[in-house]
Amino acid sequence: MPPPEHLARREACALALLRERGAGRLDHPGGTLLAHLERVHARLGAWGARPALRLAGLCHAFYGTDGFATALLPVGRRAELAAVIGAEAEEIVYVYASCDRAASYPTLAADVATDVATDDPSDVLPEVPPDVPSGRSRGAGAADGEAVPLVAPAFRDRFTGHVHCPDRQSRRDFAELTAANELDLARIDPAFRAAHGPGLLALFTRVRGLLTEPAWQDCRAVLGEGASAP
């Protein structure tokens, strides 16, 4: 983990680049895009996210997203962002920005247990090995030879059209950042929460096994039936 002064330097440089690229002048629910990014960064910090993920949260809109078309930098200039926030954080930003949500969300947690009643973080299925094709089944862990269906997560890159299966850590980062982003919008905009809250809660319930416990509890608090207006 980088020392605090190194992280603080990267955060300051990231904020300077965001301002230079106009994030403080772009309208966004709750004010400006920059204000939204700072809130997402703070929420990830409150959940205990590691520095690279927090930096990615601060910069997650640099290449635009499937839900926010305006880009601060073209994807052909990824090296510029990596030089500011580091390669690990920039890779998280790219994965988040590149996601074709309609194609990728349905199987994002296909290899992770979805029983939300358990608080045991180990309650996940093993990674799908690269030699198990999507749609095939495997008998490990099944009773009396009963097959356990496996569907490999299929993540579509909207920039390139490439479909691949990211490793579980990448999908955990993606899910955590998605939750931080959507929960900020739901907190700040009651109309957004009314329109999209039920669908988002269903999504986060489905990917529960990829979320940290603080993120999941926040999803329930903000999007659940008893959630109160901000």
Side-chain angles (χ1 to χ4, degrees), residues 154-175:
F155 189 98
R156 184 179 184 276
D157 185 319
R158 69 187 182 94
F159 297 130
T160 67
H162 177 61
V163 178
H164 62 111
C165 177
D167 62 49
R168 189 168 290 161
Q169 184 59 58
S170 294
R171 285 179 285 125
R172 283 179 176 140
D173 290 340
F174 177 85

Side-chain angles (χ1 to χ4, degrees), residues 112-134:
V112 178
T114 56
D115 179 6
V116 299
T118 180
D119 291 323
D120 182 359
S122 67
D123 185 21
V124 294
L125 300 176
E127 290 274 13
V128 178
D131 59 345
V132 176
S134 174

Side-chain angles (χ1 to χ4, degrees), residues 162-198:
H162 177 61
V163 178
H164 62 111
C165 177
D167 62 49
R168 189 168 290 161
Q169 184 59 58
S170 294
R171 285 179 285 125
R172 283 179 176 140
D173 290 340
F174 177 85
E176 198 87 348
L177 179 48
T178 298
N181 176 69
E182 302 294 356
L183 292 185
D184 178 67
L185 297 176
R187 276 189 187 277
I188 211 76
D189 185 349
F192 175 91
R193 188 176 66 194
H196 303 289

Side-chain angles (χ1 to χ4, degrees), residues 1-2 7 11 39-58 88 92 169 172-178 180 210-215:
M1 181 179 293
L7 178 60
E11 289 175 348
R39 291 193 304 268
V40 170
H41 173 262
R43 182 174 296 272
L44 288 165
W47 292 345
R50 70 189 190 282
L53 183 52
R54 298 203 305 271
L55 279 167
L58 183 62
E88 182 186 4
I92 298 170
Q169 184 59 58
R172 283 179 176 140
D173 290 340
F174 177 85
E176 198 87 348
L177 179 48
T178 298
L210 296 174
L211 294 171
T212 61
E213 188 61 23

